[in-house]
Amino acid sequence: MRIAVVGAGPSGLGCANELARNHDVILIDRLPVVGGESGWRETSVLQYASKAHELGILFELGSMAIRWDGVNLLIVGPLGTKEISADHLFFAGGFRPATSAEIGISGDRPAGVIPASVALHLLESGVQLWKNAIVIGDGQLTHKVISAITHYGGICTNIVADATETNTNNRQFTNAKKMKVHGTARVDKFECEVNGENLQFECDGIILAGPLIPNRNLEGALLEPSKNVTFVQDINGSTPESRYENGSSVARNWTKAQGGSK
């Protein structure tokens, strides 16, 4: 069978390498390098990519997958559009932090309210944007974002909607309710209720670091019942190694369900 795998992070690489034992596999990613959020320099990622080349996997890097109709995948790259025919699609598109609406934050919609994943990319690139930030949530990126902001001399206040204490060594408030953003051109204040008391915090940025949600932005591959699609998105995977193994496991289980190699 000809298999298309969208997403060349550890999950996608694990899935593709397992499938390549019995099928022709093409691996697609919008970035020009493999690794996804783990980064292309990660030692384990380099090993996984080397194995993929040894297995004869074809790469379509720097190409955005935009539509799947059950048998054809439309991608857009530097040289234009291209259709790839495939018998099955594995989507390993990673995750995104919950949005303001999904978390239940009301109020103004000024600049300065951004997802933790975006904030982390900026911080890791040496861009210092916040001196006094509100970090909302206790998701997988919370500690990384707070550590990066404090590394540059900024301070953080962690706001959590449930009773979870994240041990961030920064100011933290749990069981927060009625969260609200204030600001005109840019955010300047955050408001919430904690144990019946209304609290207000001055800030220069709000980082959304709540629960991670599967990132599905491919037309025709958005929901579980999508035709000829298997999703490879493990919410619990915290390391490149665990995500790679999960991708391999999903591929193995799918192969077994198909009756073994074909």
Side-chain angles (χ1 to χ4, degrees):
M1 297 176 69
R2 183 171 170 79
I3 308 293
V5 179
V6 173
S11 294
L13 284 165
C15 180
N17 286 350
E18 182 65 33
L19 291 166
R21 300 175 186 273
N22 301 304
H23 306 286
D24 294 327
V25 178
I26 182 167
L27 186 61
I28 302 105
D29 199 288
R30 63 182 178 82
L31 298 177
V33 293
V34 300
E37 290 188 2
S38 297
W40 64 272
R41 293 182 178 179
E42 176 72 31
T43 301
S44 58
V45 167
L46 293 173
Q47 294 172 345
Y48 304 150
S50 177
K51 183 176 181 180
H53 284 293
E54 291 175 5
L55 290 168
I57 292 173
L58 298 178
F59 287 79
E60 280 282 355
L61 301 178
S63 298
M64 174 73 77
I66 61 174
R67 187 178 70 238
W68 167 252
D69 64 8
V71 292
N72 294 296
L73 179 67
L74 180 65
I75 66 173
V76 178
L79 301 180
T81 60
K82 179 179 179 180
E83 263 197 349
I84 297 172
S85 61
D87 298 294
H88 199 85
L89 170 72
F90 284 79
F91 186 82
F95 297 87
R96 61 171 176 80
T99 64
S100 296
E102 289 166 334
I103 294 173
I105 302 174
S106 63
D108 302 323
R109 291 290 183 266
V113 181
I114 65 173
S117 52
V118 175
L120 196 57
H121 281 306
L122 292 171
L123 290 162
E124 290 178 343
S125 299
V127 180
Q128 180 185 3
L129 293 176
W130 309 280
K131 293 182 178 180
N132 184 12
I134 300 292
V135 179
I136 299 177
D138 58 344
Q140 292 184 5
L141 299 181
T142 300
H143 283 280
K144 290 183 178 180
V145 168
I146 290 176
S147 295
I149 291 174
T150 54
H151 173 75
Y152 286 109
I155 61 174
C156 296
T157 299
N158 186 209
I159 307 293
V160 183
D162 57 28
T164 303
E165 294 185 3
T166 56
N167 296 318
T168 62
N169 296 321
N170 284 258
R171 186 169 58 168
Q172 182 186 65
F173 296 87
T174 60
N175 292 313
K177 301 178 181 178
K178 299 180 180 179
M179 293 181 280
K180 192 173 184 179
V181 175
H182 296 276
T184 51
R186 187 171 180 82
V187 60
D188 56 31
K189 188 182 297 184
F190 178 79
E191 178 182 351
C192 66
E193 182 182 296
V194 176
N195 298 325
E197 181 182 1
N198 183 266
L199 303 177
Q200 294 190 5
F201 307 90
E202 292 186 355
C203 62
D204 56 9
I206 294 177
I207 314 300
L208 305 177
L212 296 180
I213 295 175
N215 185 31
R216 298 179 182 176
N217 54 2
L218 175 58
E219 181 184 345
L222 300 173
L223 304 174
E224 295 298 336
S226 300
K227 184 180 179 181
N228 295 332
V229 176
T230 297
F231 292 102
V232 189
Q233 296 176 300
D234 178 21
I235 194 70
N236 298 314
S238 58
T239 66
E241 292 78 13
S242 63
R243 290 195 292 271
Y244 180 88
E245 179 50 41
N246 177 72
S248 299
S249 177
V250 171
R252 283 194 298 271
N253 291 336
W254 178 84
T255 299
K256 290 178 182 178
Q258 303 304 305
S261 63
K262 294 185 179 181

